[in-house]
């Protein structure tokens, strides 16, 4: 049985975890628009009405804050793109669902700056370090997920699927380009990219 001291300690840990999650989520929102390099402990403290020292206690450094933003944005992507597609049958149906949910995710952005991965990778692709490594690992995980469903489609005999990595690369490139174009005000970007994706893997039933 927990002692009173243990219960107080547990409550503090829980409160700290909740505060950390709230700050990391806001950091992801800000970074999706202004970039990860634009994050600062003071800026987030001001935005959220908390003390800078409190934010510093939770994260310590700007780099740790950036890493937390990357992880928070990754979770948002999983919740809105990956998890909803898992109810679809494995193979081509699930692959189409992944891409369909990704289009919806950028067409009506969950994060104010659109797809965090697209923005983050372009910002850090030439900046060695832990933040770049985290972004690269997230991209690798996404490609692995796409390629797994592509290979399942191949096993099903789906004629429109050939090289798994090449197709994953094409799909990622099309949706990423649509995200960038949509942020620049191209109202036809998502519909154009959808048409091109349909030509690659067929339309959803």
């Amino acid at each position: 049985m927990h002692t009173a001291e243990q219960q107080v300690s547990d409550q503090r840990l829980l409160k700290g975890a909740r505060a950390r999650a709230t700050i990391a989520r806001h950091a992801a929102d800000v970074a999706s628009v202004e970039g990860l390099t634009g994050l600062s402990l003071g800026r987030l403290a001001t935005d959220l009405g908390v003390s800078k020292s409190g934010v510093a206690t939770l994260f310590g450094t700007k780099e740790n804050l950036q890493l937390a933003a990357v992880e928070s944005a990754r979770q948002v992507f999983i919740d809105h793109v990956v998890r909803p597609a898992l109810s679809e049958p494995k193979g081509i149906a699930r692959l189409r669902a992944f891409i369909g949910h990704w289009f919806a995710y950028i067409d009506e952005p969950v994060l104010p700056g659109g797809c965090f991965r697209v923005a983050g990778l372009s910002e850090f692709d030439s900046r060695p370090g832990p933040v770049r490594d985290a972004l690269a690992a997230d991209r690798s995980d996404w490609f692995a997920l796409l390629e797994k469903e592509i290979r399942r489609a191949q096993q099903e005999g789906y004629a429109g699927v050939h090289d798994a990595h090449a197709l994953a690369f094409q799909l990622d490139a099309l949706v990423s380009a649509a995200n960038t174009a949509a942020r620049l005000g191209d109202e036809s970007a998502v519909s154009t990219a959808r048409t091109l994706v349909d030509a690659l893997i067929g339309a959803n039933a």
Side-chain angles (χ1 to χ4, degrees), residues 13-14 42 45 100 193:
L13 286 172
L14 182 58

Side-chain angles (χ1 to χ4, degrees), residues 54-140:
V55 178
T57 297
L58 289 170
F59 295 97
T61 66
K62 177 175 178 175
E63 183 174 84
N64 286 338
L65 180 62
Q66 291 171 328
L67 290 169
V70 171
E71 180 57 34
S72 182
R74 171 185 168 89
Q75 191 58 54
V76 171
F77 187 86
I78 290 170
D79 289 343
H80 288 83
V81 177
V82 176
R83 190 167 289 119
L86 297 180
S87 61
E88 294 294 329
K90 297 175 181 178
I92 195 65
R94 187 173 293 179
L95 176 65
R96 288 173 179 153
F98 281 145
I99 302 304
H101 287 300
W102 194 11
F103 273 129
Y105 174 77
I106 66 171
D107 198 21
E108 296 184 7
V110 179
L111 298 175
C115 185
F116 185 96
R117 180 186 294 110
V118 175
L121 284 169
S122 62
E123 183 183 7
F124 272 82
D125 56 4
S126 300
R127 295 171 181 252
V131 177
R132 179 183 182 275
D133 292 346
L135 289 163
D138 179 60
R139 178 181 184 273
S140 180

Side-chain angles (χ1 to χ4, degrees), residues 11 44 59 75 134 145 154 165:
Q11 288 170 356
L44 294 182
F59 295 97
Q75 191 58 54
L145 198 61
Q154 290 171 326
H165 181 73

Side-chain angles (χ1 to χ4, degrees), residues 38-56:
L39 291 178
S40 73
L41 302 176
R43 158 72 187 277
L44 294 182
T46 299
D47 286 353
L48 296 172
V50 298
S51 69
K52 181 178 177 180
S53 62
V55 178

Side-chain angles (χ1 to χ4, degrees), residues 18 20 30 44 64 70 74 105 116 141 150 156 159 167 178 195-196:
R18 287 173 176 167
R20 196 177 192 283
V30 172
L44 294 182
N64 286 338
V70 171
R74 171 185 168 89
Y105 174 77
F116 185 96
D141 287 347
I150 291 168
E156 296 167 358
L167 180 54
T195 299
L196 293 170

